[in-house]
Amino acid sequence: MNILYLYRHPKMGISIGKVFRPIEDEIRKLTGSVDSFYMPIPDYSISGLVKNILATRDAVKSGKYDIVHITGSEHYLIPFIKKLGAKIVVTVHDLGFYTNHRDKKLRALWKKLLWINTLKYADQIVCISEKTKSEVESLVNVKSKICVVNDPVGCEFEYTPKTINRDKPVILQVGTKSNKNIERVIESLRGLNCRLVIIGPLNDKHKALLTQCDVDYENKVGISDEELLAEYINCDIVSLPSLYEGFGVPILEGQAIGRVVVTSDVSPMKEVAGGGAILVAPSNIESIRKGFVEAIFNWDRYVSLGLLNAQKYSIKQISFDYLYVYKKYANSILVK
């Protein structure tokens, strides 16, 4: 079985590639015939879309592929490569780019035409969580060809023993976009003796709030994967009480390293956490604060529970799940 993986341009974000490159490598070990192609244009202007579509059509036609897997974001490609011989599989990570911004009507219509309606032309839609699956089903009639395959936790996130610093724990906040709920996180730490390490750009409001709440913090922007891994290892607690996530990979990354995770008691975070994290009400500052306090005083218990949960999301297991999806469209497959 010949498979082609399609990726957005790296300048448009590395998160999807970070999830799928290890899966691609594992599938290559199992099937031996895997290629990848990255979009040449890093934007969604009309000219950019046209150039990406034409380049992708050439890439698909250049090989005798059984499966073309759009790894995320590039849903608009589906109708334009549909009749080139291969079966089209697309992974949908989340639809927040559409569901959270429908107040901008013209832009929402554009997104619906190219990123929502185009999904019905795929042969198989894979969602990374039940929440994302429900969102897709509410917007487009694809119930006969949709399934859930979770995101994996990277192999580099291995258990690294550590003793918590209860006098002044280090709390790692990955991400500063509005859905990451950083303002409530900052307010929840008022008067709590800790150090907050924030990954991602801070705006003036964030900085003013950090000063007002007297939070000891460190801000890091544009760090490498290796540097991010080091931050997980160095921290005591991972903070992800998000208002919205398509999945919540930092939950698994924190659990796999052996750190306590504080996350939201809403889908899909509570399902991903699998009983191995402290769940809080993301809209309630006091609930978030209590979550951090519980993490400090019940650290060992949640580390153990988190490690058990993270084992279910290995690269190998998720790759086999995708292989099962692919085999629906292939008569046979050679597994080494």
Side-chain angles (χ1 to χ4, degrees):
M1 179 164 55
N2 299 323
I3 305 168
L4 176 65
Y5 287 93
L6 300 181
Y7 295 92
R8 64 188 179 185
H9 193 287
K11 286 185 178 179
M12 298 189 74
I14 63 171
S15 58
I16 292 174
K18 187 177 175 183
V19 167
F20 261 96
R21 280 192 296 272
I23 294 173
E24 178 187 332
D25 291 340
E26 190 65 29
I27 294 292
R28 184 175 287 109
K29 293 176 188 175
L30 297 170
T31 70
S33 184
V34 173
D35 294 322
S36 58
F37 179 77
Y38 288 79
M39 298 300 107
I41 306 300
D43 64 59
Y44 292 139
S45 64
I46 292 176
S47 63
L49 291 170
V50 171
K51 289 176 182 177
N52 283 342
I53 289 167
L54 293 175
T56 301
R57 282 177 59 85
D58 288 342
V60 174
K61 288 189 287 187
S62 69
K64 295 181 179 180
Y65 297 109
D66 301 295
I67 302 291
V68 172
H69 188 156
I70 299 172
T71 58
S73 297
E74 311 307 290
H75 309 172
Y76 63 89
L77 294 169
I78 300 170
F80 301 98
I81 59 175
K82 173 70 174 175
K83 295 183 179 181
L84 297 181
K87 297 295 183 181
I88 310 301
V89 176
V90 58
T91 294
V92 180
H93 296 265
D94 69 73
L95 296 181
F97 67 89
Y98 174 73
T99 57
N100 294 343
H101 301 282
R102 276 190 272 185
D103 54 320
K104 300 176 181 178
K105 293 184 179 180
L106 187 59
R107 185 174 293 182
L109 178 61
W110 175 251
K111 290 178 179 177
K112 186 170 185 179
L113 287 172
L114 293 181
W115 279 270
I116 305 299
N117 291 352
T118 50
L119 290 171
K120 64 186 178 184
Y121 298 108
D123 293 291
Q124 181 69 52
I125 298 168
V126 179
C127 298
I128 63 171
S129 68
E130 289 291 342
K131 177 180 176 61
T132 298
K133 179 173 178 282
S134 296
E135 287 182 337
V136 172
E137 289 176 336
S138 71
L139 292 169
V140 58
N141 184 16
V142 292
K143 289 188 177 181
S144 62
K145 52 183 178 182
I146 190 167
C147 66
V148 173
V149 176
N150 297 135
D151 277 347
V153 60
C155 297
E156 69 274 23
F157 290 89
E158 297 180 329
Y159 175 53
T160 307
K162 185 182 191 296
T163 301
I164 184 176
N165 179 2
R166 285 195 169 87
D167 293 330
K168 191 170 184 177
V170 175
I171 299 173
L172 178 64
Q173 170 73 29
V174 182
T176 58
K177 291 182 179 179
S178 58
N179 65 299
K180 299 299 182 180
N181 209 17
I182 186 171
E183 291 175 16
R184 289 192 181 93
V185 168
I186 293 169
E187 291 189 72
S188 75
L189 297 177
R190 188 193 297 265
L192 194 63
N193 191 27
C194 66
R195 182 168 182 78
L196 179 64
V197 177
I198 303 167
I199 309 299
L202 295 171
N203 59 34
D204 291 341
K205 185 176 180 181
H206 297 151
K207 293 175 183 177
L209 193 58
L210 284 159
T211 300
Q212 178 186 331
C213 295
D214 194 26
V215 175
D216 180 18
Y217 77 96
E218 184 177 1
N219 183 216
K220 302 192 176 185
V221 181
I223 64 176
S224 66
D225 289 346
E226 292 76 15
E227 290 170 324
L228 178 59
L229 177 61
E231 295 301 333
Y232 274 101
I233 292 171
N234 293 334
C235 79
D236 298 295
I237 299 165
V238 175
S239 167
L240 194 77
S242 297
L243 299 169
Y244 178 95
E245 293 285 342
F247 186 69
V249 170
I251 296 169
L252 299 178
E253 292 173 339
Q255 289 178 332
I257 288 287
R259 304 298 179 261
V260 177
V261 178
V262 175
T263 190
S264 300
D265 191 14
V266 297
S267 296
M269 286 82 84
K270 63 181 180 181
E271 288 85 10
V272 173
I278 296 167
L279 303 181
V280 300
S283 60
N284 187 304
I285 294 170
E286 186 58 29
S287 177
I288 298 171
R289 180 183 179 82
K290 287 180 179 178
F292 287 131
V293 171
E294 184 177 357
I296 295 169
F297 289 99
N298 290 291
W299 196 79
D300 293 325
R301 174 174 180 265
Y302 282 102
V303 165
S304 299
L305 291 172
L307 286 168
L308 287 173
N309 183 62
Q311 291 174 7
K312 298 183 292 186
Y313 297 87
S314 69
I315 295 289
K316 186 175 290 291
Q317 179 57 56
I318 302 304
S319 298
F320 272 113
D321 290 344
Y322 271 110
L323 203 56
Y324 178 81
V325 172
Y326 301 153
K327 287 175 70 175
K328 291 171 60 177
Y329 305 110
N331 294 324
S332 62
I333 181 168
L334 176 63
V335 179
K336 297 179 180 180

